Amino acid sequence: QVKLVQSGGGLVQAGGSLRLSCAASRTFFSINAMGWYRQAPGSERELVALISGGGSTNYGDFAKGRFTISRDNATNSVYLQMNSLRPEDTAVYYCHARVTPSRSRLEGDYWGRGTQVTVSS
């Protein structure tokens, strides 16, 4: 069973920083793109940042210049460093990965349970 285990998040003042981490369990065949999405109350889930297995990155416009995504392929982990946080960054942040669970199964989307990030003004 593929699992994405998140850590980090919490409460921070505007202008502060937080780091999110996510590690995928090793019970899978291969893992491709990993990333982060977020969802604020009353809003749809939106892309924060993605990183391919080769290290190519893609950011939501709001994240450019403030957030940095990175990954460690040796540990199947992805990280999100968030700087210059704003109250509008308050949301639940979800780890995401495209994973092929086994040789006999198709690639699919897997999600972490989410972690709350709250930025106070």
Side-chain angles (χ1 to χ4, degrees):
Q1 181 70 24
V2 179
K3 292 184 179 179
L4 300 179
V5 180
Q6 299 182 216
S7 60
L11 174 64
V12 66
Q13 288 188 331
S17 298
L18 284 173
R19 180 177 170 87
L20 305 182
S21 301
C22 174
S25 64
R26 294 190 62 83
T27 56
F28 56 85
F29 177 67
S30 67
I31 188 167
N32 296 310
M34 301 184 78
W36 296 92
Y37 288 74
R38 72 183 188 183
Q39 187 167 19
S43 299
E44 294 186 353
R45 191 171 295 188
E46 61 180 347
L47 171 69
V48 179
L50 286 175
I51 185 166
S52 71
S56 299
T57 59
N58 185 31
Y59 292 91
D61 287 342
F62 62 86
K64 293 176 182 177
R66 299 190 298 130
F67 296 0
T68 301
I69 190 170
S70 60
R71 68 187 283 171
D72 182 344
N73 290 333
T75 61
N76 300 307
S77 299
V78 63
Y79 307 96
L80 184 68
Q81 178 66 43
M82 303 185 291
N83 299 327
S84 303
L85 283 162
R86 306 164 180 165
E88 53 264 38
D89 293 318
T90 296
V92 177
Y93 285 69
Y94 295 91
C95 177
H96 168 267
R98 291 283 296 178
V99 179
T100 302
S102 67
R103 290 179 180 272
S104 61
R105 295 180 63 184
L106 296 175
E107 183 183 73
D109 293 300
Y110 290 82
W111 296 91
R113 297 183 65 178
T115 187
Q116 178 69 44
V117 171
T118 302
V119 184
S120 63
S121 58

